[in-house]
Amino acid sequence: MIGNVIVGQSGGPTSVINSSLLGVFKTAKDRGAKKIYGMLHGIKGLLDDQYVDLAEKIKTDIDIDLLKRTPSSYLGSCRYKLPEIEGNEETYQKIFAKLDVLGIKYFFYIGGNDSMDTIKQLSDYAALVHSDISFMGVPKTIDNDLAVTDHTPGFGSAAKYIAATVKEIIRDGLVYDYPTITIVEIMGRNAGWLTASAALAKGEDCEGVDMIYLPEKVFDIDKFMARVRKISVAGHSMVIAVSEGIKVEDGRYVFELSDHVEFVDAFGHKQLAGSAKFLANKIGSELGIKTRAVELSTMQRCAAHMTSRTDITEAFNVGGAAVKAAFEGESGRVVVLKRISDDPYMCITETHDVHDIANVEKKVPLEWITDDDYVTDELIHYIRPLIQAELSPIMVDGLPRHLNVNF
Ligand code: F6P
């Protein structure tokens, strides 16, 4: 008989992470799992006995349709780092005791490279104590910075939102007969995949952004200011995409050059915000040009009305593939996507050792970034299939309807 299942969501949310939750839930149910629990706020919630019986929450086809279209983590999230095993066995004993009480044989964690650290630690401990519980990682992150996998679920929808929003910002930003400058700040931490998706805005109906700055390259403020000065003196308006993670030569983030909020999470990540504002203020005060800073911030990771159907389908598939692999005896592995064809676009799922994925950041290759502050066609071709097709929200009273777990 199939043992019980527990699933959690961890790290920053995406607009399709609940599709992965559904992939785990439906596949485990269809394959005969008796109980499927959901940890509230990830592993942190499990430690505090916070979990729900998912069958009591997701009952009808309408619930499924709504959950699929509900952005952000239905079960809540956490940024919680498990301690090293050595010297902290008590924490692990506590977790495994809780899993035993619930009769758990399969543990699924939907998250990015930090969250995969949790799967690594738990599967290492399981091996140490000869536990037969399977621990599997289900990939997600808008940042697309997970190693090994072609891309991560969540990225395509965020990229679609960014490209669509940038198109709209360009329409607005070029409207006056005098030069204005709009700087759009995009998430992604130390990887520029999301910022690069601003390039997708360019097409026969859109001029595209003027410049794109990714964190993979040192940001040279003097060069940037000289370029802005030259273009604006010629009377042109500009829309510029910058990553939240751009850094200057001495290693400081651009936003750290002015007043900023200092917040560091459990994995040592600084809260990155304010680079666009800093640059817009600098241009405004030094060049006397009208500027605006637009921080896409959390909007880019919860824009379920702009979901890519390709993304949402893959998000479901990776959840299902994790269950299949675990039920067939795998543990300590992460489901990854492998692109087997570009035209037509096609990806399959495989699994890979979590040790190669946890805590590793996959960056944009430098050869995909051009010397004139833009990105190559190769990078655009890589992203474009991931934003294809749509899934309409279920509208109630003029607004998208969501499903809430009610913590
Ligand atoms: O991990 C995804 C991400 O959205 C990053 O792009 C961003 O820097 C970070 O999360 C923000 O995290 P938080 O919501 O914890 O501030």
Side-chain angles (χ1 to χ4, degrees):
M1 188 164 102
I2 300 284
N4 292 342
V5 165
I6 195 159
V7 53
Q9 297 171 309
S10 163
T14 80
S15 56
V16 301
I17 187 170
N18 296 325
S19 200
S20 294
L21 177 65
L22 275 174
V24 171
F25 175 68
K26 283 192 76 187
T27 312
K29 200 169 150 214
D30 291 351
R31 287 178 176 243
K34 222 168 118 203
K35 286 271 184 201
I36 305 161
Y37 295 100
M39 299 168 229
L40 298 177
H41 301 290
I43 189 76
K44 177 94 176 28
L46 179 65
L47 277 161
D48 296 338
D49 294 316
Q50 300 286 309
Y51 51 82
V52 289
D53 180 341
L54 279 174
E56 285 174 10
K57 298 282 173 187
I58 310 166
K59 290 184 179 151
T60 64
D61 286 349
I62 296 277
D63 291 341
I64 290 174
D65 279 342
L66 285 176
L67 184 55
K68 207 186 291 172
R69 292 165 172 83
T70 297
S72 188
S73 315
Y74 172 74
L75 294 171
S77 191
C78 66
R79 292 213 185 264
Y80 184 82
K81 188 167 171 58
L82 281 173
E84 287 309 314
I85 297 174
E86 206 181 319
N88 296 292
E89 286 83 356
E90 258 178 46
T91 305
Y92 291 87
Q93 284 157 6
K94 192 174 163 191
I95 293 172
F96 277 66
K98 288 181 190 296
L99 296 176
D100 270 351
V101 169
L102 294 175
I104 302 298
K105 286 282 171 263
Y106 307 98
F107 180 111
F108 301 96
Y109 217 40
I110 310 169
N113 37 24
D114 294 339
S115 311
M116 291 309 123
D117 182 68
T118 301
I119 288 295
K120 176 176 80 71
Q121 297 292 89
L122 291 173
S123 57
D124 283 355
Y125 184 77
L128 210 66
V129 298
H130 307 291
S131 159
D132 62 354
I133 302 175
S134 161
F135 293 91
M136 291 293 295
V138 181
K140 85 70 232 191
T141 167
I142 61 164
D143 298 349
N144 196 38
D145 60 351
L146 215 65
V148 185
T149 188
D150 177 81
H151 59 279
T152 49
F155 170 63
S157 296
K160 187 179 180 92
Y161 173 81
I162 289 163
T165 304
V166 162
K167 275 189 88 169
E168 291 162 351
I169 291 173
I170 291 170
R171 287 277 57 78
D172 180 286
L174 305 186
V175 78
Y176 294 118
D177 60 351
Y178 56 87
T180 65
I181 296 180
T182 310
I183 306 196
V184 186
E185 180 175 316
I186 297 169
M187 277 184 165
R189 259 197 203 126
N190 302 314
W193 302 103
L194 275 178
T195 309
S197 8
L200 272 63
K202 191 171 184 173
E204 56 189 30
D205 61 341
C206 180
E207 303 78 342
V209 292
D210 295 271
M211 303 173 219
I212 299 179
Y213 291 97
L214 309 189
E216 282 79 1
K217 273 198 172 172
V218 171
F219 185 75
D220 183 334
I221 294 201
D222 294 337
K223 218 174 125 202
F224 169 79
M225 290 298 287
R227 201 157 171 210
V228 169
R229 184 179 295 112
K230 196 170 159 202
I231 300 177
S232 56
V233 160
H236 300 299
S237 289
M238 271 183 276
V239 177
I240 300 168
V242 299
S243 160
E244 62 175 6
I246 47 172
K247 283 181 178 168
V248 289
E249 186 84 60
D250 66 12
R252 275 180 301 166
Y253 288 105
V254 167
F255 76 89
E256 290 179 304
L257 304 178
S258 66
D259 277 355
H260 61 280
V261 178
E262 194 71 58
F263 180 84
V264 182
D265 73 15
F267 291 87
H269 302 302
K270 291 183 180 178
Q271 183 180 359
L272 309 179
S275 292
K277 191 77 204 149
F278 170 79
L279 293 172
N281 285 347
K282 189 169 170 66
I283 296 168
S285 59
E286 289 183 20
L287 307 183
I289 299 171
K290 183 172 178 190
T291 60
R292 270 210 171 84
V294 181
E295 226 186 90
L296 294 187
S297 188
T298 55
M299 291 173 281
Q300 64 206 294
R301 62 183 192 190
C302 58
H305 61 285
M306 191 50 86
T307 298
S308 144
R309 187 181 270 269
T310 303
D311 189 26
I312 208 160
T313 305
E314 289 180 342
F316 184 91
N317 290 347
V318 294
V323 171
K324 184 171 174 288
F327 284 15
E328 286 169 5
E330 292 191 36
S331 182
R333 298 183 72 79
V334 183
V335 175
V336 293
L337 289 161
K338 184 174 175 191
R339 198 181 294 216
I340 52 167
S341 162
D342 270 317
D343 191 14
Y345 165 78
M346 217 179 283
C347 260
I348 57 166
T349 57
E350 290 182 342
T351 66
H352 194 93
D353 187 343
V354 68
H355 293 86
D356 296 335
I357 295 176
N359 306 312
V360 178
E361 277 180 328
K362 183 179 74 181
K363 309 272 183 75
V364 174
L366 288 180
E367 59 271 23
W368 283 3
I369 308 171
T370 64
D371 288 339
D372 61 348
D373 308 319
Y374 209 73
V375 297
T376 61
D377 285 348
E378 211 174 349
L379 179 43
I380 295 170
H381 290 151
Y382 159 78
I383 303 175
R384 200 176 294 283
L386 313 181
I387 69 163
Q388 299 306 315
E390 292 74 41
L391 183 76
S392 306
I394 295 173
M395 304 299 282
V396 176
D397 203 13
L399 291 174
R401 183 72 156 210
H402 300 152
L403 191 74
N404 293 318
V405 78
N406 298 325
F407 297 116

Short mmCIF file of all heavy atoms in Angstrom, two decimals, residues 250-290:
data_model
loop_
_atom_site.label_atom_id
_atom_site.label_comp_id
_atom_site.label_asym_id
_atom_site.label_seq_id
_atom_site.Cartn_x
_atom_site.Cartn_y
_atom_site.Cartn_z
N ASP A 250 33.05 47.80 -7.06
CA ASP A 250 33.51 47.39 -5.71
C ASP A 250 32.61 46.34 -5.07
O ASP A 250 32.79 45.99 -3.90
CB ASP A 250 33.67 48.62 -4.80
CG ASP A 250 32.34 49.31 -4.49
OD1 ASP A 250 31.27 48.74 -4.79
OD2 ASP A 250 32.36 50.42 -3.94
N GLY A 251 31.61 45.83 -5.81
CA GLY A 251 30.78 44.74 -5.30
C GLY A 251 29.50 45.19 -4.62
O GLY A 251 28.66 44.37 -4.24
N ARG A 252 29.33 46.50 -4.46
CA ARG A 252 28.08 46.96 -3.85
C ARG A 252 26.95 46.95 -4.87
O ARG A 252 27.16 47.24 -6.05
CB ARG A 252 28.23 48.39 -3.32
CG ARG A 252 28.82 48.45 -1.93
CD ARG A 252 28.95 49.87 -1.46
NE ARG A 252 29.79 50.68 -2.34
CZ ARG A 252 29.84 52.00 -2.31
NH1 ARG A 252 29.08 52.68 -1.48
NH2 ARG A 252 30.65 52.65 -3.13
N TYR A 253 25.75 46.60 -4.39
CA TYR A 253 24.58 46.72 -5.26
C TYR A 253 24.33 48.21 -5.52
O TYR A 253 24.61 49.04 -4.64
CB TYR A 253 23.34 46.13 -4.58
CG TYR A 253 23.36 44.61 -4.49
CD1 TYR A 253 23.62 43.96 -3.29
CD2 TYR A 253 23.10 43.84 -5.63
CE1 TYR A 253 23.62 42.57 -3.21
CE2 TYR A 253 23.11 42.45 -5.55
CZ TYR A 253 23.37 41.82 -4.35
OH TYR A 253 23.38 40.45 -4.29
N VAL A 254 23.78 48.52 -6.68
CA VAL A 254 23.54 49.94 -7.01
C VAL A 254 22.61 50.59 -5.98
O VAL A 254 22.83 51.73 -5.56
CB VAL A 254 22.98 50.05 -8.46
CG1 VAL A 254 22.43 51.44 -8.72
CG2 VAL A 254 24.07 49.69 -9.47
N PHE A 255 21.59 49.83 -5.52
CA PHE A 255 20.66 50.44 -4.56
C PHE A 255 21.35 50.78 -3.24
O PHE A 255 20.88 51.62 -2.47
CB PHE A 255 19.44 49.55 -4.34
CG PHE A 255 19.70 48.36 -3.44
CD1 PHE A 255 19.56 48.45 -2.07
CD2 PHE A 255 20.12 47.14 -3.99
CE1 PHE A 255 19.81 47.36 -1.26
CE2 PHE A 255 20.38 46.06 -3.17
CZ PHE A 255 20.23 46.17 -1.80
N GLU A 256 22.51 50.14 -2.98
CA GLU A 256 23.22 50.41 -1.73
C GLU A 256 23.99 51.73 -1.78
O GLU A 256 24.58 52.13 -0.78
CB GLU A 256 24.19 49.26 -1.42
CG GLU A 256 23.46 47.98 -1.02
CD GLU A 256 24.41 46.83 -0.72
OE1 GLU A 256 25.23 46.48 -1.60
OE2 GLU A 256 24.31 46.28 0.38
N LEU A 257 23.99 52.39 -2.93
CA LEU A 257 24.71 53.66 -3.05
C LEU A 257 23.91 54.82 -2.47
O LEU A 257 24.37 55.94 -2.40
CB LEU A 257 25.05 53.95 -4.53
CG LEU A 257 25.85 52.84 -5.25
CD1 LEU A 257 26.09 53.21 -6.70
CD2 LEU A 257 27.19 52.59 -4.54
N SER A 258 22.65 54.54 -2.11
CA SER A 258 21.85 55.60 -1.48
C SER A 258 21.12 55.01 -0.27
O SER A 258 21.33 53.83 0.05
CB SER A 258 20.84 56.16 -2.48
OG SER A 258 19.91 55.17 -2.80
N ASP A 259 20.27 55.78 0.37
CA ASP A 259 19.49 55.27 1.51
C ASP A 259 18.71 54.04 1.07
O ASP A 259 18.08 54.05 0.02
CB ASP A 259 18.48 56.34 1.95
CG ASP A 259 19.13 57.35 2.85
OD1 ASP A 259 20.32 57.14 3.19
OD2 ASP A 259 18.46 58.33 3.19
N HIS A 260 18.76 52.99 1.87
CA HIS A 260 18.03 51.79 1.48
C HIS A 260 17.67 50.99 2.71
O HIS A 260 18.21 51.21 3.80
CB HIS A 260 18.87 50.95 0.52
CG HIS A 260 20.15 50.48 1.14
ND1 HIS A 260 21.26 51.28 1.23
CD2 HIS A 260 20.48 49.31 1.73
CE1 HIS A 260 22.23 50.62 1.84
NE2 HIS A 260 21.78 49.42 2.16
N VAL A 261 16.77 50.03 2.51
CA VAL A 261 16.36 49.16 3.62
C VAL A 261 17.37 48.02 3.71
O VAL A 261 17.68 47.39 2.71
CB VAL A 261 14.95 48.59 3.35
CG1 VAL A 261 14.53 47.66 4.48
CG2 VAL A 261 13.95 49.71 3.16
N GLU A 262 17.89 47.76 4.89
CA GLU A 262 18.87 46.68 5.08
C GLU A 262 18.13 45.49 5.69
O GLU A 262 17.77 45.50 6.86
CB GLU A 262 19.97 47.20 6.02
CG GLU A 262 21.23 46.37 6.09
CD GLU A 262 22.10 46.42 4.83
OE1 GLU A 262 22.51 47.52 4.45
OE2 GLU A 262 22.33 45.35 4.24
N PHE A 263 17.83 44.49 4.86
CA PHE A 263 17.18 43.28 5.39
C PHE A 263 17.85 42.07 4.75
O PHE A 263 18.02 42.00 3.54
CB PHE A 263 15.68 43.28 5.07
CG PHE A 263 14.98 42.05 5.58
CD1 PHE A 263 14.53 41.97 6.89
CD2 PHE A 263 14.81 40.93 4.76
CE1 PHE A 263 13.93 40.82 7.38
CE2 PHE A 263 14.20 39.77 5.25
CZ PHE A 263 13.76 39.72 6.56
N VAL A 264 18.26 41.12 5.59
CA VAL A 264 18.94 39.92 5.09
C VAL A 264 18.16 38.70 5.55
O VAL A 264 17.80 38.60 6.74
CB VAL A 264 20.40 39.86 5.62
CG1 VAL A 264 21.12 38.64 5.07
CG2 VAL A 264 21.16 41.13 5.25
N ASP A 265 17.86 37.76 4.62
CA ASP A 265 17.06 36.59 5.02
C ASP A 265 17.95 35.45 5.55
O ASP A 265 19.18 35.59 5.62
CB ASP A 265 16.13 36.14 3.88
CG ASP A 265 16.87 35.46 2.73
OD1 ASP A 265 18.03 35.07 2.89
OD2 ASP A 265 16.26 35.33 1.65
N ALA A 266 17.32 34.32 5.89
CA ALA A 266 18.04 33.20 6.53
C ALA A 266 19.13 32.62 5.63
O ALA A 266 20.05 31.96 6.12
CB ALA A 266 17.04 32.12 6.90
N PHE A 267 19.02 32.82 4.34
CA PHE A 267 20.03 32.29 3.42
C PHE A 267 21.10 33.34 3.09
O PHE A 267 21.93 33.15 2.21
CB PHE A 267 19.36 31.79 2.13
CG PHE A 267 18.53 30.55 2.37
CD1 PHE A 267 17.21 30.64 2.76
CD2 PHE A 267 19.09 29.29 2.22
CE1 PHE A 267 16.45 29.50 3.01
CE2 PHE A 267 18.35 28.14 2.47
CZ PHE A 267 17.03 28.25 2.87
N GLY A 268 21.03 34.47 3.79
CA GLY A 268 22.04 35.52 3.60
C GLY A 268 21.75 36.43 2.42
O GLY A 268 22.61 37.20 2.00
N HIS A 269 20.54 36.35 1.88
CA HIS A 269 20.21 37.22 0.73
C HIS A 269 19.71 38.58 1.23
O HIS A 269 18.79 38.65 2.04
CB HIS A 269 19.09 36.60 -0.13
CG HIS A 269 19.42 35.26 -0.65
ND1 HIS A 269 20.51 35.01 -1.44
CD2 HIS A 269 18.80 34.07 -0.50
CE1 HIS A 269 20.55 33.73 -1.75
NE2 HIS A 269 19.52 33.13 -1.19
N LYS A 270 20.32 39.64 0.67
CA LYS A 270 19.85 40.98 1.00
C LYS A 270 18.54 41.25 0.28
O LYS A 270 18.35 40.75 -0.84
CB LYS A 270 20.87 42.02 0.53
CG LYS A 270 22.15 41.99 1.32
CD LYS A 270 23.08 43.10 0.87
CE LYS A 270 24.35 43.03 1.69
NZ LYS A 270 25.34 44.01 1.32
N GLN A 271 17.69 42.05 0.88
CA GLN A 271 16.51 42.49 0.13
C GLN A 271 16.98 43.51 -0.90
O GLN A 271 17.62 44.51 -0.56
CB GLN A 271 15.48 43.14 1.05
CG GLN A 271 14.23 43.53 0.30
CD GLN A 271 13.16 44.19 1.16
OE1 GLN A 271 13.33 44.36 2.36
NE2 GLN A 271 12.07 44.57 0.53
N LEU A 272 16.71 43.21 -2.17
CA LEU A 272 17.22 44.05 -3.25
C LEU A 272 16.09 44.94 -3.76
O LEU A 272 15.14 44.44 -4.34
CB LEU A 272 17.73 43.18 -4.40
CG LEU A 272 18.71 42.04 -4.04
CD1 LEU A 272 19.09 41.26 -5.29
CD2 LEU A 272 19.95 42.59 -3.38
N ALA A 273 16.20 46.21 -3.57
CA ALA A 273 15.19 47.11 -4.12
C ALA A 273 15.73 48.53 -4.10
O ALA A 273 16.38 48.93 -3.12
CB ALA A 273 13.91 47.03 -3.30
N GLY A 274 15.49 49.26 -5.16
CA GLY A 274 15.82 50.68 -5.15
C GLY A 274 16.84 51.13 -6.19
O GLY A 274 17.17 52.31 -6.25
N SER A 275 17.33 50.19 -7.03
CA SER A 275 18.33 50.59 -8.03
C SER A 275 17.73 51.55 -9.06
O SER A 275 18.37 52.54 -9.45
CB SER A 275 18.89 49.37 -8.75
OG SER A 275 19.64 48.62 -7.85
N ALA A 276 16.51 51.26 -9.50
CA ALA A 276 15.87 52.12 -10.51
C ALA A 276 15.65 53.52 -9.94
O ALA A 276 15.90 54.52 -10.59
CB ALA A 276 14.54 51.51 -10.97
N LYS A 277 15.21 53.56 -8.68
CA LYS A 277 14.94 54.86 -8.05
C LYS A 277 16.24 55.67 -7.95
O LYS A 277 16.28 56.86 -8.26
CB LYS A 277 14.35 54.62 -6.64
CG LYS A 277 13.80 55.84 -5.98
CD LYS A 277 12.43 56.19 -6.57
CE LYS A 277 12.10 57.65 -6.38
NZ LYS A 277 11.28 58.22 -7.43
N PHE A 278 17.32 54.96 -7.54
CA PHE A 278 18.61 55.64 -7.41
C PHE A 278 19.04 56.23 -8.76
O PHE A 278 19.44 57.40 -8.86
CB PHE A 278 19.68 54.66 -6.89
CG PHE A 278 21.07 55.22 -6.95
CD1 PHE A 278 21.52 56.12 -5.99
CD2 PHE A 278 21.93 54.88 -8.00
CE1 PHE A 278 22.81 56.66 -6.06
CE2 PHE A 278 23.21 55.42 -8.08
CZ PHE A 278 23.65 56.31 -7.11
N LEU A 279 18.93 55.41 -9.81
CA LEU A 279 19.39 55.87 -11.13
C LEU A 279 18.49 56.98 -11.68
O LEU A 279 18.97 57.96 -12.27
CB LEU A 279 19.44 54.69 -12.11
CG LEU A 279 20.51 53.64 -11.77
CD1 LEU A 279 20.36 52.41 -12.67
CD2 LEU A 279 21.93 54.22 -11.88
N ALA A 280 17.18 56.85 -11.46
CA ALA A 280 16.26 57.88 -11.96
C ALA A 280 16.55 59.21 -11.26
O ALA A 280 16.58 60.27 -11.90
CB ALA A 280 14.82 57.44 -11.72
N ASN A 281 16.78 59.14 -9.94
CA ASN A 281 17.08 60.38 -9.20
C ASN A 281 18.39 61.01 -9.69
O ASN A 281 18.50 62.22 -9.83
CB ASN A 281 17.21 60.09 -7.70
CG ASN A 281 15.84 59.86 -7.07
OD1 ASN A 281 14.81 60.15 -7.70
ND2 ASN A 281 15.81 59.32 -5.87
N LYS A 282 19.37 60.15 -9.96
CA LYS A 282 20.68 60.65 -10.42
C LYS A 282 20.53 61.34 -11.78
O LYS A 282 21.04 62.45 -11.99
CB LYS A 282 21.65 59.47 -10.50
CG LYS A 282 23.09 59.86 -10.75
CD LYS A 282 24.02 58.66 -10.55
CE LYS A 282 25.43 58.96 -11.01
NZ LYS A 282 26.11 59.98 -10.23
N ILE A 283 19.79 60.70 -12.68
CA ILE A 283 19.61 61.30 -14.01
C ILE A 283 18.84 62.61 -13.88
O ILE A 283 19.21 63.64 -14.45
CB ILE A 283 18.83 60.34 -14.95
CG1 ILE A 283 19.65 59.08 -15.19
CG2 ILE A 283 18.48 61.02 -16.28
CD1 ILE A 283 18.86 57.95 -15.86
N GLY A 284 17.76 62.57 -13.08
CA GLY A 284 16.92 63.77 -12.91
C GLY A 284 17.73 64.93 -12.37
O GLY A 284 17.66 66.05 -12.89
N SER A 285 18.54 64.66 -11.33
CA SER A 285 19.24 65.78 -10.71
C SER A 285 20.45 66.22 -11.53
O SER A 285 20.75 67.40 -11.62
CB SER A 285 19.64 65.44 -9.27
OG SER A 285 20.48 64.31 -9.29
N GLU A 286 21.14 65.28 -12.18
CA GLU A 286 22.35 65.68 -12.93
C GLU A 286 22.06 66.16 -14.34
O GLU A 286 22.76 67.00 -14.87
CB GLU A 286 23.34 64.51 -12.99
CG GLU A 286 23.96 64.24 -11.63
CD GLU A 286 25.00 63.14 -11.66
OE1 GLU A 286 25.54 62.83 -12.75
OE2 GLU A 286 25.26 62.57 -10.59
N LEU A 287 21.02 65.60 -14.97
CA LEU A 287 20.76 65.97 -16.37
C LEU A 287 19.50 66.82 -16.53
O LEU A 287 19.21 67.28 -17.63
CB LEU A 287 20.65 64.71 -17.24
CG LEU A 287 21.81 63.71 -17.18
CD1 LEU A 287 21.59 62.57 -18.15
CD2 LEU A 287 23.14 64.39 -17.48
N GLY A 288 18.75 67.01 -15.45
CA GLY A 288 17.55 67.83 -15.52
C GLY A 288 16.48 67.26 -16.44
O GLY A 288 15.71 67.99 -17.06
N ILE A 289 16.44 65.95 -16.53
CA ILE A 289 15.43 65.30 -17.40
C ILE A 289 14.34 64.70 -16.53
O ILE A 289 14.61 64.25 -15.41
CB ILE A 289 16.11 64.17 -18.22
CG1 ILE A 289 17.20 64.76 -19.10
CG2 ILE A 289 15.10 63.41 -19.07
CD1 ILE A 289 18.06 63.71 -19.76
N LYS A 290 13.13 64.69 -17.04
CA LYS A 290 12.03 64.07 -16.28
C LYS A 290 12.23 62.56 -16.26
O LYS A 290 12.41 61.93 -17.30
CB LYS A 290 10.70 64.42 -16.95
CG LYS A 290 9.52 63.89 -16.18
CD LYS A 290 8.23 64.42 -16.75
CE LYS A 290 7.06 63.84 -16.00
NZ LYS A 290 5.80 64.14 -16.65
#
